[in-house]
């Protein structure tokens, strides 16, 4: 399997995002200015076994929205760039992840067809400086720009921190499974012969 790596920079009037992603591991250094979001991206990288360096400077005088969404956009773009061919991967993955009282499920298809289904009702509106509604916005930005189909569901929970962290970890484990090698490394899992 070739080196699955991408390095991107995206600057707008709202954010400045620099990101490096290795789908096959490496160092992890995350700084977005949103402590809980840094924690979630670190968990995502550790559980997906990705190398991930992120530096995001956002318009905090507004709120956390642009910082989180734009980081998701760039992470998705890096994911797509790091996987130019889908040959040799399992393509599908899924995971259930418990975290204390919370249980989350993720299923992914690395298909080139972007779609997000997200189900999660969080009892608290914020975790630190992170608005809980931004979990869905992050995953939508990521899935759309990565070109993947991603289904996420928090089955239950009482603590928004636990619920969101379980979702990030479930997504990571599902992606790790989907990106694992299948067969001789040249298999393309599509009856059409292309994705």
């Amino acid at each position: 399997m070739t080196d699955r790596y991408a390095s991107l920079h995206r600057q707008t009037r709202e954010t400045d995002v620099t990101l490096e992603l290795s789908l096959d591991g490496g160092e992890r250094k995350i700084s977005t200015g949103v402590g809980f979001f840094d924690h979630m991206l670190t968990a995502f990288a550790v559980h997906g076994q990705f190398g991930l360096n992120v530096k995001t400077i956002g318009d905090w005088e507004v709120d956390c929205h642009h910082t989180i969404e734009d980081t998701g956009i760039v992470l998705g773009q890096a994911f797509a760039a790091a996987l130019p061919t889908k040959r040799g991967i399992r393509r599908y993955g899924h995971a259930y992840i418990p975290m204390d009282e919370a249980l989350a499920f993720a299923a992914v298809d690395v298909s080139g067809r972007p779609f997000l289904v997200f189900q999660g009702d969080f009892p608290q509106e914020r975790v630190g400086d992170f608005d809980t509604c931004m979990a869905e916005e992050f995953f939508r930005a990521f899935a759309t720009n990565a070109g993947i189909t991603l289904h996420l569901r928090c089955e239950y929970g009482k603590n928004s921190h636990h619920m969101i962290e379980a979702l990030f970890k479930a997504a990571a484990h599902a992606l790790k499974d989907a990106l694992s090698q299948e067969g001789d490394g040249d298999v393309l899992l599509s009856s059409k012969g292309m994705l």
Side-chain angles (χ1 to χ4, degrees), residues 1-192:
M1 201 169 280
T2 59
D3 186 28
R4 304 186 298 177
Y5 169 85
S7 176
L8 296 176
H9 177 244
R10 178 181 187 264
Q11 185 172 8
T12 71
R13 292 178 181 171
E14 297 170 341
T15 61
D16 188 335
V17 184
T18 303
L19 188 147
E20 289 180 274
L21 172 68
S22 171
L23 299 177
D24 300 305
E27 71 169 351
R28 300 170 187 113
K29 188 174 181 183
I30 316 290
S31 176
T32 67
V34 186
F36 180 72
F37 187 44
D38 290 355
H39 178 43
M40 292 303 95
L41 290 176
T42 301
F44 179 79
V46 168
H47 286 266
Q49 296 181 1
F50 308 133
L52 182 61
N53 290 315
V54 180
K55 175 68 175 175
T56 301
I57 300 169
D59 55 354
W60 263 98
E61 67 278 9
V62 178
D63 61 12
C64 68
H65 188 115
H66 299 140
T67 296
I68 294 168
E69 183 177 35
D70 288 9
T71 302
I73 288 170
V74 180
L75 181 59
Q77 291 172 344
F79 183 92
L83 198 69
T85 175
K86 295 169 185 65
R87 288 190 175 278
I89 63 168
R90 184 170 287 175
R91 179 179 166 182
Y92 296 99
H94 65 276
Y96 276 100
I97 296 293
M99 184 161 184
D100 296 352
E101 87 297 344
L103 180 68
F105 171 75
V108 65
D109 177 10
V110 181
S111 60
R113 292 191 306 275
F115 203 88
L116 175 71
V117 175
F118 187 97
Q119 295 178 355
D121 295 316
F122 304 113
Q124 293 87 35
E125 291 184 4
R126 292 172 69 86
V127 179
D129 291 330
F130 184 97
D131 296 334
T132 54
C133 64
M134 290 309 301
E136 181 173 1
E137 296 300 323
F138 166 79
F139 282 113
R140 179 177 293 109
F142 171 69
T144 299
N145 287 275
I148 63 173
T149 296
L150 179 60
H151 289 239
L152 289 169
R153 182 174 70 241
C154 193
E155 302 281 7
Y156 45 78
K158 294 180 180 178
N159 181 303
S160 295
H161 182 136
H162 296 161
M163 295 165 73
I164 293 170
E165 188 164 345
L167 285 167
F168 270 82
K169 290 177 178 177
H173 279 273
L175 280 165
K176 180 177 68 170
D177 193 23
L179 295 171
S180 63
Q181 189 165 341
E182 183 79 8
D184 63 6
D186 196 44
V187 172
L188 184 66
L189 287 180
S190 171
S191 58
K192 298 189 295 288

